Amino acid sequence: GAGVSQSPSNKVTEKGKDVELRCDPISGHTALYWYRQSLGQGLEFLIYFQGNSAPDKSGLPSDRFSAERTGGSVSTLTIQRTQQEDSAVYLCASSPKTGRNTEAFFGQGTRLTVV
Amino acid sequence: DAKTTQPPSMDCAEGRAANLPCNHSTISGNEYVYWYRQIHSQGPQYIIHGLKNNETNEMASLIITEDRKSSTLILPHATLRDTAVYYCIVLRSGSGAGSYQLTFGKGTKLSVIP
């Protein structure tokens, strides 16, 4: 497809388990973002990948959260030892270039529920 | 980093223009103003962005004041499908060279009324 694709669309996991969330950005887009949105809240920045540069991880809430972007394309967000407060919609976005003058295109998100 | 202030909610009659204000009084000279919207249960959708000049595209117009301390997003003929939360964002630099973050606030919940 032409847009940002995220999988799975929904994930229910037990507290303490690890989860992996996948993002397929738009082909050729060099920048990739991860955000999360808790119920009724705004979007919270998590991490930003820009080409081959070191990612901006300043938004990751704890060391249980990590993300990779392999080959400058697909990205995986991993949450270890999930907690109930990790329940949220996790959104991925990509941009065709880095810099101040570029729009980001968002996927539909992965709804994570930790029970 | 520049912070934005938006009214929490607005109503607009279907077919009329929706004018959504945003204050960003601490914006720096090289910071762009972006507008996104989020329709219920969907990912945010890019609408428009600008630096100094007014901008128009197929979705909306963006009017930026001369001092750049505020802007207005205009949806010229609002439809029911325009009901969404609208976010005004000043793109800020993140940690690390060349890193930029879209920092979303609470936005304005626009309700288009039949």
Side-chain angles (χ1 to χ4, degrees):
Chain A
V4 175
S5 177
Q6 293 187 245
S7 60
S9 54
N10 282 283
K11 175 73 176 179
V12 180
T13 190
E14 291 181 353
K15 178 181 172 181
K17 295 285 180 69
D18 297 352
V19 295
E20 282 190 355
L21 311 179
R22 177 187 169 103
C23 172
D24 283 88
I26 294 172
S27 178
H29 280 197
T30 56
L32 187 146
Y33 301 82
W34 281 98
Y35 286 80
R36 74 175 174 181
Q37 187 171 31
S38 301
L39 188 63
Q41 302 298 310
L43 280 81
E44 175 188 4
F45 167 80
L46 296 177
I47 189 169
Y48 170 59
F49 294 91
Q50 37 160 345
N52 295 323
S53 301
D56 178 354
K57 303 180 181 180
S58 60
L60 295 178
S62 77
D63 58 9
R64 296 187 295 106
F65 288 73
S66 63
E68 290 184 339
R69 188 177 184 195
T70 54
S73 180
V74 172
S75 178
T76 303
L77 178 69
T78 302
I79 308 173
Q80 296 178 309
R81 305 180 302 281
T82 52
Q83 303 294 313
Q84 287 186 326
E85 60 263 28
D86 299 334
S87 296
V89 176
Y90 288 81
L91 291 152
C92 175
S94 69
S95 292
K97 57 184 178 179
T98 59
R100 299 180 184 276
N101 186 15
T102 179
E103 61 267 36
F105 299 86
F106 282 80
Q108 293 303 300
T110 293
R111 182 176 298 278
L112 175 66
T113 304
V114 181
V115 298
Chain B
D1 55 315
K3 187 176 177 181
T4 62
T5 304
Q6 298 177 254
S9 64
M10 289 181 64
D11 292 339
C12 178
E14 188 179 16
R16 304 297 293 268
N19 296 277
L20 293 96
C22 179
N23 287 325
H24 32 77
S25 58
T26 59
I27 193 170
S28 299
N30 60 354
E31 290 179 325
Y32 283 77
V33 179
Y34 282 75
W35 283 84
Y36 284 77
R37 72 180 181 183
Q38 189 171 26
I39 296 169
H40 183 62
S41 298
Q42 296 183 22
Q45 177 189 23
Y46 165 81
I47 302 174
I48 199 167
H49 74 283
L51 182 63
K52 290 189 284 191
N53 299 323
N54 297 337
E55 301 288 344
T56 296
N57 63 20
E58 65 278 5
M59 289 184 68
S61 294
L62 174 60
I63 308 298
I64 304 174
T65 57
E66 192 169 340
D67 63 8
R68 304 214 319 125
K69 294 185 177 182
S70 65
S71 61
T72 301
L73 179 74
I74 301 172
L75 307 178
H77 305 286
T79 71
L80 299 179
R81 287 176 294 181
D82 292 323
T83 292
V85 178
Y86 286 77
Y87 296 98
C88 169
I89 299 162
V90 173
L91 188 66
R92 74 175 184 92
S93 297
S95 67
S99 172
Y100 298 94
Q101 298 175 12
L102 292 165
T103 302
F104 288 78
K106 295 193 181 300
T108 296
K109 183 174 172 57
L110 176 69
S111 299
V112 180
I113 302 166

